[in-house]
Amino acid sequence: MKITTIVSNRKIDPHHANDLVYEWEDELCTYFQAPLSFNHPWKNQRYSKYLPFVLNWLQTNQPAFAYEMCTMRHNGNNKRNIIPCIIDFYIRQPWKVRLWYAQYWRNKVICVSSREVYEYLHGLGLSKIRHLPLSISNKYALAEGTQYEKKFDLFIAGRQNPILKQYLTRYLAEHPDITFVRRDFKDGAAIYVNEKNEIVSPTDSREIYISLIRQARACLYSTPGIDGSRNTNGYSQVTPHFLEIIAAGCHPLLRYPDNADTRYYELPSFCPHLETYEQFAAALDRARTTDVDWEKHREYMQKHYTSSVAKQLEQIIAEL
C-alpha cells in the first residue's frame, strides 16, 4: 500500500484551533508526495454520524491516511484503503471500546496517537491497533545554532491546571518583579496581555502564539486529566503543547502522572512532577535565571517532528 492522498477536514472546520492538525497533514503530503482530499460540508451534517455506510461509499477510494479528532465517527473512513489515526480517545469501558473497534472492521490498521491508549487497547487484544504519536511540524524545527531571544519570564496560555495555578498565584504575590505574557479575552476574542495588563497582541493566531512562546523562558504544562483539570475518563495523555514548549527553548514547569505517555515523551528528563509549592518556586527561580540546554532540546525534537511520524507511518504500512 502506498499513501496517495491525505484526507482533511479543513474545509469543514477551518478554525485556527485546528491549525496544528492541518500542519501535520501538510507535512505528510510533502513526505508521501500525496495531495489533500477534502471532506466536504455535506459529510459533516448533524445526522451524518448515523450514516457511516453511506459515507463510506462517498469517501475516497485512493490509498489514504486520515486524522480523526475523536472517537465519534462521521467521515466514513471505515474502508480498506484508509488508515485512520484517532487523536482524542477517552473510552475506558471494555465493552464500549469493542463497540468502537467494530466500526473499523474494514480498516487494515487503526492508529491511535496516545501511547497510553495504545497499551490499553493492545492489552484488550485488539490486533489492528498501532501507535502513531503526535508531533509538531518541521516548520518549527530548532536549527543548529538557533537560540531564541528571551524577553519575559513566563508564558501562560491554554487550560490551566488548578494546582499549578495555585502555585503561580502565590509565586506572583511573592515575586512582583516577574514578567509574563498570558492569554486573555476581550469582547469574546482572545488577546495577549503582560504582567501590567498591557495588550501585547490584540489578536490571537498560531503565528502569534508561536512567536510569544519562543520569547518566554518558562511555560506551565500539565497533562489533561491530572488534578481533575479535565474529564478524560482516567487517561492523562501528553499533548503537542509540551513539544511546542521544548521546541521553543522554554523550561517546562510540569505536573503529570507516571504513565506510558509521559514515559514515551520523557517528561521526567525535563522536569520532575512538581508536588509542592517549594519545588515549583525553585524550578521557576532556576528557569528565570538560566538558559535551557539548547543541544538537548534540539536532539530531543528530532524524534518528534512530523517527518519522524511520517517515517513511522511508512513502517506501519510496510508491515501490512
Side-chain angles (χ1 to χ4, degrees), residues 62-276:
Q62 298 181 56
F65 174 83
Y67 281 112
E68 292 186 0
M69 293 298 295
C70 63
T71 52
M72 179 62 76
R73 300 175 53 80
H74 61 78
N75 287 328
N77 289 328
N78 178 23
K79 303 185 73 170
R80 286 183 60 80
N81 61 295
I82 297 177
I83 297 177
C85 181
I86 316 302
I87 297 175
D88 288 337
F89 190 106
Y90 300 122
I91 306 173
R92 178 65 71 172
Q93 299 92 328
W95 71 270
K96 287 186 178 180
V97 169
R98 295 187 186 281
L99 185 62
W100 163 82
Y101 187 68
Q103 298 177 78
Y104 292 82
W105 64 274
R106 287 193 181 97
N107 298 103
K108 294 180 180 180
V109 296
I110 310 158
C111 298
V112 292
S113 63
S114 165
R115 186 73 190 183
E116 182 185 21
V117 169
Y118 165 76
E119 292 193 3
Y120 176 66
L121 299 182
H122 189 72
L124 293 177
L126 306 185
S127 60
K128 294 198 294 185
I129 300 298
R130 302 290 186 273
H131 178 225
L132 192 70
L134 301 177
S135 63
I136 63 171
S137 169
N138 288 63
K139 68 193 288 187
Y140 306 120
L142 264 177
E144 189 69 33
T146 297
Q147 295 188 16
Y148 300 119
E149 181 183 359
K150 302 302 180 177
K151 298 181 179 180
F152 50 89
D153 294 322
L154 188 65
F155 181 66
I156 310 165
R159 183 183 286 105
Q160 295 302 302
N161 174 277
I163 303 300
L164 289 178
K165 188 175 181 180
Q166 290 177 17
Y167 293 166
L168 180 60
T169 299
R170 178 175 170 183
Y171 189 94
L172 294 179
E174 296 177 359
H175 300 80
D177 62 325
I178 188 172
T179 57
F180 62 83
V181 169
R182 63 180 173 85
R183 182 181 287 154
D184 204 348
F185 291 89
K186 182 178 181 181
D187 300 326
I191 62 172
Y192 289 98
V193 299
N194 64 15
E195 72 281 354
K196 299 176 183 178
N197 216 34
E198 300 167 336
I199 294 177
V200 174
S201 173
T203 59
D204 181 22
S205 68
R206 181 133 181 89
E207 290 73 23
I208 291 170
Y209 165 81
I210 293 295
S211 173
L212 290 173
I213 197 171
R214 284 174 172 172
Q215 296 176 54
R217 288 191 170 275
C219 192
L220 308 182
Y221 177 81
S222 68
T223 52
I226 193 172
D227 304 319
S229 57
R230 184 176 174 186
N231 181 14
T232 58
N233 215 5
Y235 294 109
S236 200
Q237 307 162 11
V238 176
T239 63
H241 183 39
F242 175 74
L243 300 178
E244 293 166 344
I245 292 169
I246 304 305
C250 290
H251 291 281
L253 305 179
L254 307 176
R255 279 185 65 83
Y256 55 89
D258 176 26
N259 66 25
D261 257 50
T262 57
R263 290 191 295 272
Y264 178 84
Y265 287 103
E266 306 173 67
L267 267 64
S269 71
F270 288 97
C271 178
H273 171 64
L274 300 173
E275 297 190 61
T276 67

Side-chain angles (χ1 to χ4, degrees), residues 3-61:
I3 296 295
T4 60
T5 187
I6 306 297
V7 180
S8 178
N9 274 336
R10 64 186 70 190
K11 286 191 174 181
I12 293 173
D13 191 1
H15 193 276
H16 71 79
N18 297 319
D19 284 351
L20 182 66
V21 177
Y22 304 149
E23 288 173 351
W24 299 337
E25 294 172 351
D26 291 341
E27 290 284 349
L28 293 179
C29 285
T30 299
Y31 186 89
F32 290 104
Q33 296 185 331
L36 290 169
S37 174
F38 298 105
N39 283 321
H40 295 283
W42 48 263
K43 293 184 181 177
N44 199 39
Q45 298 299 319
R46 186 175 302 173
Y47 56 79
S48 66
K49 59 179 173 288
Y50 303 111
L51 301 173
F53 297 107
V54 173
L55 294 178
N56 290 339
W57 177 69
L58 295 169
Q59 188 59 287
T60 181
N61 290 318

